[in-house]
Amino acid sequence: MPELPEVETVRKGLEHLVKGKKIKDVAIFWPKIIESPNSEDFKTQLVGEEILDIDRRGKYLIFKLTHFDMISHLRMEGKFEYHKGSDPVMKHTHVIFKFSDETELRYLDVRKFGRFVLVPKDTSQIYKGLQKLGPEPTEEAFLLKGFEQELKKRKKPIKPLLLDQTLVTGLGNIYVDESLFRAGIHPEQEANTLTKKEIALLHREIIAVLGEAVEAGGTTIRTYQNALGDAGNFQVSLMVYGQNGESCPKCGAEILKKKVAQRGTHYCPHCQIYRVRRG
DNA sequence: AATACTACCTGCGTGC
DNA sequence: TGCACGCAGGTAGTAT
């Protein structure tokens, strides 16, 4: 489900609802959701832990516990719901964290792609998935100079390059299409053919679009009641994602959709022109 | 090392 | 209605 703005919105919701809660028990209905340790140890180690804080790095949530860091990735469709223990357990619920006050944090995931990992306290940065991440998409962390140097070295199309999280973290299929549109760059333009000017614009638009989406509480596409972080309204600000067949907000041309690196890709054929041999 | 493709899952809409 | 197929906000593993 989520890209950085949605995960950040979930983080804020969790901070509000479960910070300070003590874990009394854990129920696991789909053990593969637990990447490590094995689901039995995962449960045993969590009992008695208190949720001290909830951090985020890229699209990962990091629950800071008494003796552990619990890393959570929602992948495509993972979501958290906060419930009373007496509430009926809905379909697609795979993990339940039961608190000492008889409330529960439930993890639901239709496609079961999401993962949990438990590591010793303050060692989350060693986890492989977090280690590979590039800088957060902020002015302070994401530097134009480094971005430009990396792009010069890569010849793969810019869209899949931005999706791999190593140059900058947080973009997914929605915001990468929005960033490229706003910067006027074709999604298949090879990274090493981008001009200095285009790179600077792209850098600025990535930071801007993700920042605006965080402010809006993320984008809500499919609505699921009760899920933390589903109240975002950035979908009203999307300029190309899901807009195929509509008019380009800049020039009026028809927004097209095509496959790029196995992902549905939305773009304006007039504002985002592919050019051969540049840079 | 960089790149490309596939697996992991379920549900929904479309077309025959 | 039934069924096959493509598609969905992501990443890790494998092969080249």
Side-chain angles (χ1 to χ4, degrees):
Chain A
M1 173 172 119
E3 303 178 38
L4 185 148
E6 293 73 40
V7 177
E8 176 60 17
T9 304
V10 171
R11 190 198 67 75
K12 287 174 182 160
L14 289 168
E15 192 167 54
H16 182 241
L17 289 171
V18 305
K19 190 167 167 174
K21 302 285 181 185
K22 290 185 180 63
I23 301 172
K24 187 178 73 177
D25 196 10
V26 180
I28 301 165
F29 305 109
W30 187 261
K32 284 185 75 176
I33 294 276
I34 314 302
E35 186 175 310
S36 78
N38 65 68
S39 62
E40 274 309 304
D41 290 348
F42 180 84
K43 171 179 167 170
T44 308
Q45 290 172 357
L46 281 179
V47 172
E49 292 287 296
E50 178 179 346
I51 299 176
L52 304 174
D53 217 340
I54 299 104
D55 291 348
R56 179 192 55 73
R57 174 82 174 95
K59 304 175 193 172
Y60 290 85
L61 290 165
I62 304 163
F63 291 76
K64 305 295 286 184
L65 309 176
T66 318
H67 303 96
F68 299 94
D69 284 359
M70 183 175 75
I71 303 163
S72 165
H73 198 301
L74 277 34
R75 294 283 180 95
M76 294 291 263
E77 304 201 11
K79 54 189 71 73
F80 284 105
E81 292 182 358
Y82 183 65
H83 284 276
K84 288 184 211 164
S86 56
D87 289 347
V89 175
M90 304 308 284
K91 199 177 175 185
H92 306 305
T93 300
H94 302 125
V95 184
I96 301 181
F97 302 92
K98 305 182 183 193
F99 301 127
S100 55
D101 64 357
E102 309 304 321
T103 63
E104 303 181 347
L105 183 66
R106 298 178 182 176
Y107 178 76
L108 295 86
D109 189 341
V110 170
R111 294 175 72 183
K112 301 174 177 169
F113 285 175
R115 292 293 180 265
F116 286 90
V117 180
L118 198 58
V119 299
K121 190 176 176 66
D122 299 328
T123 65
S124 63
Q125 71 283 355
I126 300 167
Y127 172 66
K128 206 171 162 193
L130 287 171
Q131 219 170 19
K132 63 163 267 195
L133 298 183
E136 290 290 313
T138 61
E139 296 287 356
E140 310 79 61
F142 180 34
L143 304 179
L144 176 58
K145 190 79 185 261
F147 185 49
E148 195 180 311
Q149 285 169 351
E150 275 304 313
L151 290 179
K152 247 187 280 180
K153 293 190 283 189
R154 312 290 212 99
K155 55 182 176 193
K156 88 170 174 178
I158 186 66
K159 170 160 176 173
L161 188 57
L162 292 175
L163 284 176
D164 90 1
Q165 309 299 305
T166 59
L167 300 196
V168 60
T169 186
L171 291 168
N173 206 37
I174 294 178
Y175 300 112
V176 77
D177 282 4
E178 294 297 311
S179 300
L180 289 168
F181 170 75
R182 290 165 63 143
I185 297 169
H186 192 283
E188 293 177 293
Q189 193 67 48
E190 290 81 0
N192 62 357
T193 66
L194 293 172
T195 64
K196 200 167 175 166
K197 195 174 163 187
E198 286 173 324
I199 294 169
L201 191 50
L202 179 58
H203 174 261
R204 187 196 314 162
E205 294 301 339
I206 287 170
I207 294 170
V209 76
L210 290 172
E212 289 165 25
V214 166
E215 286 298 305
T219 297
T220 306
I221 290 177
R222 284 181 255 182
T223 306
Y224 278 85
Q225 302 303 322
N226 302 324
L228 271 72
D230 76 348
N233 68 337
F234 194 74
Q235 60 277 10
V236 304
S237 302
L238 297 176
M239 295 194 254
V240 286
Y241 186 88
Q243 306 304 302
N244 38 110
E246 303 293 319
S247 298
C248 170
K250 286 189 199 168
C251 78
E254 184 183 348
I255 300 296
L256 303 182
K257 181 176 180 182
K258 72 179 290 195
K259 267 211 165 182
V260 175
Q262 274 86 257
R263 309 297 302 273
T265 298
H266 314 74
Y267 68 107
C268 170
H270 178 259
C271 297
Q272 296 166 270
I273 294 173
Y274 180 82
R275 295 182 207 287
V276 183
R277 277 190 309 265
R278 282 187 309 177

